[in-house]
Amino acid sequence: MDDSMKKYILLAVLFTLFGLVACYDDDSSLATREIGDIAIDTLKDASIISYSGNKLEREPKIETKYSEEQLAYAWYIYKEDQQEGFRTNKIDSVKNLSYEINLAAGNYTVVFEVTAKENGYSVAEEMKLAVSTTFSQGFYILKETAEGNSELDVYTQDGLVSDLLTNSQGEPLIGAPRNLSVCFGQAFIDTEENVMATGNTVCVTTEQNKFACFRTVDMLKVFDNSNLLFEEMEADESPYCMVRSLSRIFYFSSKGIRSASTDENSGKMGFPLDSESSKHVQIVNGGFGGHVYWNNSKHRVMTVDYNCSGVSEVEFNTEVNQDNLECLSSGLNYVGGSEMIYFLCQDKTSGVRYLYLLSGGNIVEIRPLKSNLHLAQGDIIAGNGLTGTLIYCVHDNKLYGYNFDAESEMEIPITGIPEGATISYFSNQYWNMGLFGDTSLNFDNIVVGTQEGDNYTVYLYNIRGGQPYGEPITVFSGEGKLRSVRYVCQAAVNMTAMLGPMYGFGPCFPY
């Protein structure tokens, strides 16, 4: 081999060695940024009211060996029922988000994605965003105006909004308040868009037999006496309430019981069953057992199946003369996996009170109450839902709890209310979607209302052992005479969610 050939071989070896070193250096630099070298801290869920200048702001914490210039950022949002991938709707390409919420009410998922530019490796973290409008989620208050008519306020996370009917319809509903109902997933015709739709509504009935249903997103009136039925409601019909069943909305009135499917349709109610009903209605077995209700003219507990195809009396062998009874209160208790429904009735002549206890839609006892019990005398009656076998009553401006299992009664102290304030309202309000919804929305509160002249105050308490616990967590006041408080959630309530009691987590909401 001559010298020139040796030179070429030596050069080739050197070039090979240089190449190996270069490759080794490149691999070494990549090895300091291995796949997985990006981590994003948990993003906190949020609830925001839309169209009010509110912004979703997040400054995520990222742990990485990449420099800022080597990373790309992206924020996405999608609604809970969206079928496409999460990258369909990109809202920003920055690290720190400041996004003004102008979205329809509903539940959304927000995704933050960090990508390494040089190799395309990305990591994503998501959070839940509950978007409401001014009216779509909160505590609705039915009140009586100084003129004796019915008006609504709503308390949301942004505070109290007063006189919804006057501001949206031009005037209150004529007549003193009779009842306030909430219907989740009610069908109606959207007169603004001229399409069939479904949505959550609040329904007001008055002592002058006026009726109106309002969509909670925007207070659009979807039904009143003129259009709920296929013909205008007769003047002598007394509307009582509306309730949700498995897949239907039930309307109870002095003419009987009607219903309409929750599928998109006109929502109008057909021919009635029975000849009378009342506002005292409770769901049975999450709707599978239909509803039990008090019939004002028959003075009996009746049952209607979940399809609204038949009614019958809930029979019970008793010596009690029921023909002179009127119903004062009803409620549903679900403690320890056992559903118990009560109806508290009073003899209109003697004043004796009787406690009906039902399980599975059947009467298990009609219990005469001893006259010295506060439950036998109090004028504000409400049931506990999930935390104790209690029926509450307010007597002589004090709160008592009657344990229907132990047949005992105790006084329940309430803190945080000014001395001498008159208790005018009491209820246990809760939301429990269990396995079939966003559990971050769940709550369980005692609601106490007081009245001073034409002004009311509402106190919300956490609950422990069926009793209000500690100081009130929320206090708000408004003008008018407080008559009812009902919580409205913007979450969709489907047939599966209605079956909650059958799966051991209680009903979705109280009637």
Side-chain angles (χ1 to χ4, degrees):
M1 183 181 296
D2 57 20
D3 292 339
S4 61
M5 182 61 69
K6 292 179 180 178
K7 185 185 296 184
Y8 287 127
I9 292 174
L10 180 59
L11 289 173
V13 171
L14 290 173
F15 284 136
T16 300
L17 289 173
F18 285 137
L20 288 173
V21 171
C23 288
Y24 178 81
D25 287 343
D26 286 345
D27 287 344
S28 177
S29 64
L30 278 175
T32 64
R33 295 189 295 273
E34 295 174 352
I35 297 298
D37 275 353
I38 302 175
I40 307 171
D41 280 2
T42 301
L43 298 174
K44 185 179 179 182
D45 296 343
S47 298
I48 296 180
I49 293 180
S50 187
Y51 301 108
S52 58
N54 290 330
K55 294 181 178 181
L56 173 63
E57 296 183 337
R58 289 293 181 269
E59 296 183 2
K61 295 182 179 179
I62 303 170
E63 293 183 8
T64 181
K65 295 180 180 178
Y66 291 97
S67 66
E68 192 77 18
E69 294 73 22
Q70 292 175 307
L71 297 175
Y73 305 106
W75 292 87
Y76 305 90
I77 190 169
Y78 65 93
K79 206 167 184 181
E80 59 182 2
D81 56 357
Q82 179 177 311
Q83 301 298 318
E84 302 84 0
F86 73 82
R87 292 185 177 87
T88 302
N89 185 20
K90 186 176 181 179
I91 58 176
D92 217 330
S93 300
V94 296
K95 178 182 178 182
N96 296 331
L97 180 69
S98 180
Y99 174 59
E100 186 168 349
I101 303 298
N102 293 314
L103 299 169
N107 294 321
Y108 295 80
T109 298
V110 177
V111 179
F112 175 53
E113 186 178 44
V114 182
T115 303
K117 296 177 182 178
E118 67 181 42
N119 57 21
Y121 172 69
S122 64
V123 174
E125 179 71 21
E126 67 178 37
M127 59 170 285
K128 299 297 183 183
L129 173 64
V131 177
S132 59
T133 65
T134 303
F135 316 120
S136 66
Q137 184 163 293
F139 291 90
Y140 273 76
I141 295 95
L142 176 64
K143 64 181 185 179
E144 184 174 343
T145 67
E147 295 74 28
N149 296 318
S150 298
E151 183 58 276
L152 290 174
D153 296 344
V154 63
Y155 180 79
T156 72
Q157 62 183 11
D158 278 3
L160 186 72
V161 182
S162 301
D163 301 332
L164 302 184
L165 302 187
T166 297
N167 291 328
S168 64
Q169 312 299 318
E171 61 182 358
L173 202 59
I174 301 301
R178 173 179 287 154
N179 198 38
L180 176 62
S181 307
V182 180
C183 291
F184 292 92
Q186 185 170 20
F188 54 86
I189 296 177
D190 185 337
T191 54
E192 293 184 344
E193 301 293 334
N194 197 29
V195 296
M196 293 180 179
T198 61
N200 298 338
T201 65
V202 289
C203 305
V204 180
T205 60
T206 81
E207 296 298 339
Q208 287 198 20
N209 295 338
K210 298 300 181 182
F211 166 90
C213 260
F214 305 93
R215 182 169 61 183
T216 56
V217 170
D218 54 8
M219 295 307 293
L220 172 72
K221 184 166 68 173
V222 297
F223 290 116
D224 59 17
N225 298 67
S226 69
N227 66 349
L228 178 67
L229 313 180
F230 285 95
E231 295 181 351
E232 185 166 352
M233 196 178 294
E234 296 180 358
D236 64 344
E237 179 164 351
S238 298
Y240 294 136
C241 65
M242 299 187 82
V243 298
R244 167 72 190 256
S245 184
L246 280 177
S247 58
R248 305 188 72 81
I249 299 294
F250 281 63
Y251 163 62
F252 292 79
S253 81
S254 61
K255 301 290 186 179
I257 306 164
R258 301 175 175 91
S259 77
S261 169
T262 54
D263 296 330
E264 288 189 359
N265 61 83
S266 69
K268 290 180 178 291
M269 302 288 173
F271 291 106
L273 296 175
D274 207 354
S275 57
E276 171 65 281
S277 62
S278 73
K279 67 179 182 180
H280 301 293
V281 183
Q282 298 298 326
I283 197 168
V284 179
N285 289 335
F288 243 162
H291 291 84
V292 288
Y293 63 96
W294 182 260
N295 183 303
N296 281 337
S297 62
K298 297 177 181 177
H299 309 281
R300 297 291 190 276
V301 175
M302 307 287 291
T303 183
V304 56
D305 62 27
Y306 68 88
N307 282 324
C308 199
S309 60
V311 300
S312 61
E313 179 184 344
V314 183
E315 297 182 354
F316 184 74
N317 185 18
T318 179
E319 297 180 357
V320 175
N321 180 10
Q322 302 178 77
D323 294 336
N324 201 36
L325 298 184
E326 61 177 346
C327 188
L328 304 178
S329 173
S330 70
L332 187 152
N333 179 271
Y334 194 81
V335 174
S338 177
E339 178 184 277
M340 187 66 73
I341 293 170
Y342 81 85
F343 288 85
L344 182 64
C345 301
Q346 179 171 289
D347 188 294
K348 290 185 285 187
T349 302
S350 68
V352 175
R353 292 185 180 181
Y354 298 89
L355 182 64
Y356 287 66
L357 296 174
L358 293 83
S359 178
N362 299 309
I363 298 174
V364 296
E365 183 181 0
I366 299 179
R367 182 185 300 170
L369 295 179
K370 297 177 181 179
S371 60
N372 63 340
L373 288 171
H374 296 281
L375 185 61
Q377 306 171 70
D379 54 356
I380 299 173
I381 313 295
N384 176 279
L386 304 175
T387 58
T389 53
L390 294 173
I391 302 173
Y392 305 102
C393 75
V394 176
H395 183 218
D396 290 337
N397 209 38
K398 294 181 180 180
L399 176 66
Y400 298 88
Y402 176 79
N403 188 319
F404 56 79
D405 266 356
E407 299 188 40
S408 61
E409 197 172 55
M410 62 180 177
E411 183 177 348
I412 299 176
I414 307 175
T415 59
I417 294 178
E419 186 176 352
T422 301
I423 300 175
S424 60
Y425 177 83
F426 186 93
S427 68
N428 175 204
Q429 299 278 323
Y430 59 90
W431 181 267
N432 191 335
M433 291 292 281
L435 305 174
F436 303 106
D438 184 359
T439 57
S440 67
L441 299 173
N442 289 356
F443 73 91
D444 195 347
N445 289 157
I446 291 292
V447 182
V448 181
T450 63
Q451 193 73 40
E452 184 176 354
D454 286 330
N455 296 293
Y456 70 84
T457 301
V458 173
Y459 304 81
L460 301 181
Y461 294 84
N462 286 322
I463 190 168
R464 178 180 291 182
Q467 301 186 38
Y469 174 69
E471 296 294 321
I473 56 175
T474 300
V475 179
F476 60 89
S477 299
E479 185 176 351
K481 293 180 180 178
L482 177 64
R483 293 293 181 251
S484 181
V485 178
R486 291 295 308 276
Y487 177 74
V488 174
C489 185
Q490 66 186 22
V493 176
N494 56 26
M495 185 184 298
T496 305
M498 290 299 298
L499 293 173
M502 299 187 67
Y503 294 92
F505 60 82
C508 296
F509 48 88
Y511 287 133

